[in-house]
Structures are given as C-alpha cells and as structure tokens.
Amino acid sequence: DFGTPLTTKLNELECYIDPAGCSCREINILMAEVGGTIPNEISECTVLVSLLIKSNSVRGTIPSSLGSIRTLKVIDLGRNYLQGSIPSELGLLTQLRILSLERNNL
C-alpha cells in the first residue's frame, strides 16, 4: 500500500502520503514540463527540506500551508505560471535559506 494520494496531481505525477505521515525530504521536479497546481496537502510532508519545482508549467497560487513545514531550507518555484501574492506564512520558515520565485506572475 502506497498510502493515500494527494488530491491534486502535478500532471501525471502523484505524491503519496503514508498514513503515518510523509517522510519525503526532497521534492525535485526540474524542467519536466509538469503542470497542475501545488496541493495544500504538501504541508503533510513535515520533514521536507527542499522543494524544487522549477521551469515547469505549474499554475495557481503558492499554498500558504508551505509556511507550516518548519524544516524547509530551500523553495525554488521559479519559471512557472504561479500567480497571486507570496504568502506571509513563508516568513515563519526560520530555516529557509533560499527562496526563488522568479519569472512567475506574482
């Protein structure tokens, strides 16, 4: 059993969350022509250190739930089609060292 799939898919890529929690430390999707949105359920990955979804076709907004992943050190969502504002909750990420959001519609 792979756990419960997140409700939102990035193209055909699904992230599975084990009932005991997500043990994923890195998500790296670079230049893969991936579309879709970033699901709010990503906050269930409480040990995530690096979130790189760069140079794809991801749309929608940056979920404010990212601010609850206190282990994040790197967020790179550059070169997508994200829109809206940058969630103030990202300011809660005291370990964050790199935040790259260039070439979006923010």
Side-chain angles (χ1 to χ4, degrees):
D1 181 41
F2 290 102
T4 306
L6 294 178
T7 57
T8 303
K9 293 182 185 180
L10 291 173
N11 239 358
E12 294 302 314
L13 179 68
E14 291 185 41
C15 181
Y16 288 90
I17 305 257
D18 185 276
C22 176
S23 60
C24 184
R25 293 182 49 82
E26 295 184 2
I27 296 176
N28 297 319
I29 307 171
L30 306 173
M31 298 186 305
E33 298 181 23
V34 170
T37 61
I38 302 169
N40 281 320
E41 293 86 353
I42 198 164
S43 65
E44 295 179 33
C45 296
T46 58
V47 295
L48 191 63
V49 174
S50 178
L51 176 62
L52 287 84
I53 306 176
K54 184 173 185 171
S55 298
N56 287 287
S57 296
V58 178
R59 298 182 182 280
T61 59
I62 299 171
S64 60
S65 62
L66 282 180
S68 67
I69 308 173
R70 303 305 167 107
T71 53
L72 272 171
K73 293 183 179 180
V74 177
I75 299 174
D76 189 343
L77 305 174
R79 298 176 184 255
N80 283 289
Y81 298 97
L82 296 168
Q83 57 190 15
S85 59
I86 300 169
S88 61
E89 289 84 354
L90 296 185
L92 300 172
L93 301 175
T94 58
Q95 294 189 43
L96 191 65
R97 299 295 174 251
I98 297 172
L99 176 61
S100 179
L101 304 172
E102 85 278 356
R103 295 200 180 180
N104 280 290
N105 299 312
L106 300 169

